[in-house]
Amino acid sequence: LLRVFEWMGKRKTIIFGRGKFGVFLHIQMLCRGLDNVVAYCDNDIEEQEVTLYGVPVIAPQKAVKMYKEAVFIIASKYHSEEMKKQLVFLGVNENSIISYTAGADMRLLGSK
């Protein structure tokens, strides 16, 4: 978590994934006075066009288009590689993407 905070610095940040990890990450940021999250993005249409902790949830394509200078934190344990490939395909530089998985790999725990 601290590595992610250090990496993003004061740059505008988008959390890719508005599930448990994305929300946890955002709450931790807010508790530390880090308010640089400008949006969540999510592929699930039912999760889009709402506001979560004061920021909009939008489609990845829209996030990339609206926030060209932002960095992306992928908040997923199982789909982070696919999500990263999607962002790169949409034109995001790999150096502007980091993954947050809460420090655990569920495959090692024998559950999915």
Side-chain angles (χ1 to χ4, degrees):
L1 193 59
L2 295 176
R3 182 176 64 89
V4 171
F5 294 158
E6 185 178 295
W7 173 83
M8 71 179 195
K10 296 182 186 280
R11 298 180 287 181
K12 289 182 181 179
T13 301
I14 297 173
I15 298 174
F16 192 168
R18 60 128 348 247
K20 293 176 188 174
F21 296 119
V23 170
F24 174 79
L25 176 65
H26 193 192
I27 290 170
Q28 292 301 310
M29 292 168 69
L30 292 172
C31 287
R32 288 169 170 78
L34 303 170
D35 63 350
N36 41 331
V37 174
V38 294
Y40 284 86
C41 68
D42 202 288
N43 284 309
D44 186 346
I45 293 173
E46 293 179 15
E47 302 292 342
Q48 297 170 10
E49 304 306 325
V50 298
T51 301
L52 191 59
Y53 294 98
V55 298
V57 181
I58 57 180
Q61 297 85 343
K62 187 173 181 179
V64 170
K65 193 175 209 178
M66 286 178 65
Y67 301 103
K68 295 181 188 316
E69 73 288 347
V71 295
F72 286 79
I73 302 173
I74 297 172
S76 174
K77 283 191 184 188
Y78 302 113
H79 305 289
S80 61
E81 282 304 312
E82 293 93 340
M83 294 160 83
K84 182 176 181 178
K85 287 178 186 176
Q86 180 182 7
L87 290 173
V88 170
F89 177 78
L90 292 171
V92 178
N93 185 304
E94 284 190 48
N95 294 328
S96 296
I97 305 168
I98 194 170
S99 293
Y100 173 71
T101 62
D105 187 339
M106 295 303 288
R107 293 172 294 179
L108 299 176
L109 300 175
S111 61
K112 187 169 182 182

